[in-house]
Amino acid sequence: MTVQEEKKVLRKELREVEKALPDAYRAEAGSVICARLLALPEYRSAGTVFCFVGAGREIDTRPFLEGALCDAKRLCVPLCVSMGVMELWQIDAMDRLVPGAYGIPEPVKGSPLVGADEVDFAVIPCLSCSRAGLRLGKGGGFYDRFLSAYRGFAVLVCPERLVREDIPMEPHDRPVPRVLTEAGLYERGQRTDV
């Protein structure tokens, strides 16, 4: 089996696990993860913050986004502009998000563009990951492209029940050295205090 085939099988398996997660667990895990993100010293010292807008079964990042706005951070969110390509657009209020492709909230047209090199702190989504930061995304390549050019602080967020240690990797896959779950923060696979 090729690595691509392994990833496809694992994505299918994890989507079933994800569907079976109780709503109460997902809500609690997301709430704890957002609170821990807002408490990280790297976040506190950041000027420009990038974060996905959780949709569907993803972590609900709205509490984090609202916290960043309350903390007067320069906040940017992704806008998918073509297959595998996203841009970072600044928002200054939650009502600057509108339903976009597939119902995913995205910034309204005309929002300011932000370069990846301007971001100090990035929150990266995944379907699953290992504690060492090997990431399994949804297969579009958006975040691997972003991570290949990004040099700032990045943290991968994932509910603990979706963490797997056997994530297949291809040469273009970009690991993220920090993983945050509701159980805590892992740096290069080692648990640290949050």
Side-chain angles (χ1 to χ4, degrees), residues 64-136:
F64 174 75
L65 298 170
E66 290 165 352
L69 290 169
C70 286
D71 290 338
K73 303 290 185 186
R74 180 180 182 210
L75 178 62
C76 53
V77 298
L79 176 68
C80 299
V81 293
S82 63
M83 186 54 106
V85 178
M86 67 180 177
E87 294 177 340
L88 285 55
W89 289 37
Q90 183 178 339
I91 61 168
D92 55 12
M94 293 302 287
D95 64 4
R96 299 291 292 165
L97 295 171
V98 296
Y102 312 107
I104 298 170
E106 61 185 35
V108 295
K109 301 289 187 241
S111 298
L113 278 172
V114 178
D117 58 342
E118 298 174 64
V119 174
D120 304 310
F121 184 92
V123 180
I124 309 298
C126 63
L127 180 57
S128 178
C129 65
S130 71
R131 287 177 183 84
L134 302 180
R135 178 182 172 276
L136 181 68

Side-chain angles (χ1 to χ4, degrees), residues 18-84:
E18 187 181 49
K19 280 182 197 173
L21 292 177
D23 290 341
Y25 167 75
R26 279 203 321 263
E28 177 66 17
S31 176
V32 170
I33 288 169
C34 287
R36 288 178 186 240
L37 283 170
L38 292 166
L40 288 173
E42 294 84 359
Y43 163 77
R44 303 300 305 162
S45 65
T48 300
V49 172
F50 168 65
C51 183
F52 68 101
V53 182
R57 290 193 231 12
E58 291 180 320
I59 291 170
D60 180 4
T61 56
R62 286 179 187 272
F64 174 75
L65 298 170
E66 290 165 352
L69 290 169
C70 286
D71 290 338
K73 303 290 185 186
R74 180 180 182 210
L75 178 62
C76 53
V77 298
L79 176 68
C80 299
V81 293
S82 63
M83 186 54 106

